[in-house]
């Protein structure tokens, strides 16, 4: 098995220490040879830091590190240039001082190389002076690389005053990229999200955004061709460890980790972090998801009272996906750019995108992560509760199932009590979406259909839920509209269930079951 660079984001270390490097240098050469200013948005753990580290090594003139890679035969320009690298990924931005300290530390390090001037009192003036002196002292224009430019803004979501302070600081700081053009050879900013409108990008109209550019859709991540050409032995070893054929193993890898699309009509991409961990450990797991889901996503969903079932097939425009407005009431752009949703379809006529979960790792992990925020069930017990739900429907124990479901509505948080209908829908979405990984579930698929159809080896459940209605009304609707009739010829037993939910009691009030 090859030596995989799990958690290693430094190109030089990868090359010198014999780790596997998936060659992206042809795309990097296209970047540096056709433009000067770039922005790239990609989810965390997708290779953004390694991309910048590779560009840094190129502009340091370290040709020996690129031997055998595509770029080595594409250019003879390996001139070392001054590089200003700002890494905002390491900070914990809980106060204005946190960002100030990191910027000050970085500027001080640069000034130790290129000097300072007494009149340069603000971060942007110091930055401007450094750029000019670095160019004049070395005789070469400067390369500027910014990793995770947006982390302070993201951590301040929900705190308007702090986010405004960060925005003002970063907006002024990044304005140097435009005003000092004559001294800059190349610049690239990466991050998870793109803040737009009146935010940090408002003055940076010279940046080319390649986040949804077909030419660079796979500059980070692993496409199917790269997987087939570079990891056949790893797939064979994983298959042997899991008792699978190579074909079965490939299908499971696609189901778990493939499916990211950052541009319409482009091949899907695998998450490299999960892929490499799976090969290294010889088993499938939620490796990317377990590195930590940002709490700001849940804050956004709850702040805007978002109906979770809309995430499964959200339709939105490219303008929305491309820019996050700090004052927006729409959480979808942040969730998309963070990697929890991806492009599933595109309507060329109306220029609308259909979004959905990219793969099982993300969908299962994200919905499971949401459970403790919407129900009284803790994260440690969520898997246990879902397994009990599945066992109860598999055995036909409907009373136990609905009694357990009733408990999921207990203790509704105070901030959600005014939006009981949204909360009610969200709890049902979480429970049945998670059950869908172990049983066949169709939840609110079309008008004129039952609220839910759940299939096991022995039973088919047809369920109708009535908010502030009675179980009698719900079962009456199932029978009146013939919701169970499509399954009359099925050999499995059909169970109809009508459920009444009381807004006053804020829980399931009763249920009626007919077989």
């Amino acid at each position: 098995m090859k030596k995989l660079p799990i958690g290693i984001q430094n190109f030089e270390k990868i090359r010198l220490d014999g780790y596997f490097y998936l060659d992206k240098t042809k795309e990097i050469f296209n970047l540096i040879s056709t433009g000067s200013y770039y922005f790239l948005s990609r989810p965390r753990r997708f290779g953004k830091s390694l991309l910048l580290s590779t560009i840094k090594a190129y502009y340091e003139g370290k040709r020996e590190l690129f031997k055998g890679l595509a770029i080595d035969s594409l250019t003879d320009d390996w001139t070392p240039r001054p590089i200003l690298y700002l890494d905002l990924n390491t900070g914990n931005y809980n106060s204005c001082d946190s960002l100030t300290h990191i910027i000050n530390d970085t500027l001080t390090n640069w000034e130790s190389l290129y000097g300072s001037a007494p009149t340069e009192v603000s971060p942007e003036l110091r930055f401007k002076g450094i750029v000019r002196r670095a160019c004049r002292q070395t005789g070469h224009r400067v390369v500027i690389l910014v990793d995770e430019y947006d982390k302070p803004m993201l951590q301040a979501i929900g705190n308007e005053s702090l986010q405004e302070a960060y925005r003002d600081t970063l907006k002024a700081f990044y304005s140097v990229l435009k005003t000092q053009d004559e001294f800059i050879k190349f610049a690239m900013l990466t991050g998870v999200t793109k803040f737009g409108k009146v935010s940090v990008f408002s003055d940076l109209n010279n940046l080319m955004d390649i986040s949804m550019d077909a030419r660079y859709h796979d500059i980070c991540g692993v496409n199917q061709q790269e997987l087939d050409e570079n990891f056949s032995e790893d797939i064979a070893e994983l298959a042997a460890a899991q008792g699978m054929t190579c074909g079965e193993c490939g299908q499971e890898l696609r189901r778990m980790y493939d499916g990211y699309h950052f541009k319409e009509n482009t091949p899907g991409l695998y998450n490299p972090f999960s892929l490499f961990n799976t090969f290294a450990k010889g088993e499938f797991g939620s490796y990317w998801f377990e590195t930590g889901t940002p709490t700001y996503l849940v804050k956004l969903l709850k702040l805007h009272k978002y109906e979770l079932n809309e995430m499964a097939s959200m339709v939105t425009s490219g303008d929305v996906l491309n820019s996050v407005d700090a004052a927006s009431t729409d959480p979808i752009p942040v969730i998309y750019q963070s990697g929890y949703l991806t492009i599933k379809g595109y309507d060329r006529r109306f220029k609308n995108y259909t979004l959905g979960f990219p793969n099982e790792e993300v969908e299962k992990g994200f919905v499971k992560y949401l459970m403790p925020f919407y129900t009284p069930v803790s994260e440690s017990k969520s898997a246990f509760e879902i397994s009990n739900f599945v066992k109860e429907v598999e055995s036909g124990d409907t009373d136990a199932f609905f009694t357990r479901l009733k408990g999921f509505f207990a203790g509704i948080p105070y901030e959600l009590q005014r939006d009981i209908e949204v909360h009610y829908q969200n709890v049902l979405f979480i429970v049945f979406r998670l059950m869908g990984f172990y049983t066949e579930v169709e939840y609110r698929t079309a008008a004129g259909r039952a609220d839910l159809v759940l299939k096991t080896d022995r039973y088919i459940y047809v369920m109708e839920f009535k908010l502030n209605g009675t179980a009698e009304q719900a079962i009456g609707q199932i029978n009146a509209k013939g919701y169970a009739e499509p399954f009359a010829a099925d050999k499995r037993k059909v169970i109809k269930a009508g459920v009444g939910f009381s807004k006053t009691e804020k829980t399931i009030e009763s249920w009626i079951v007919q077989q």
Side-chain angles (χ1 to χ4, degrees), residues 1 4 6 237-238 241-242 273-285 287 290:
M1 178 178 290
L4 296 168
I6 298 170
E237 290 183 25
L238 176 63
Q242 293 296 313
F273 186 78
S274 290
L275 200 61
F276 290 176
N277 271 281
T278 300
F279 289 145
K281 297 183 179 181
E283 60 183 2
F284 297 93
Y287 301 108
E290 289 171 356

Side-chain angles (χ1 to χ4, degrees), residues 114-162:
Y114 303 112
S116 61
T119 57
E120 297 166 2
V121 292
S122 66
E124 58 270 23
L125 287 176
R126 293 170 68 189
F127 188 21
K128 183 174 74 171
I130 291 166
V131 169
R132 291 185 173 194
R133 284 188 295 275
C135 179
R136 289 167 178 164
Q137 290 173 21
T138 64
H140 295 289
R141 285 174 293 161
V142 175
V143 172
I144 300 173
L145 305 172
V146 182
D147 196 5
E148 303 292 356
Y149 91 98
D150 57 339
K151 191 169 183 181
M153 299 283 290
L154 284 175
Q155 288 195 357
I157 281 180
N159 186 333
E160 291 184 17
S161 60
L162 186 58

Side-chain angles (χ1 to χ4, degrees), residues 225-237:
Q225 182 178 346
E226 290 169 334
L227 181 69
D228 294 339
E229 292 178 351
N230 294 278
F231 297 97
S232 57
E233 292 183 6
D234 302 87
I235 293 173
E237 290 183 25

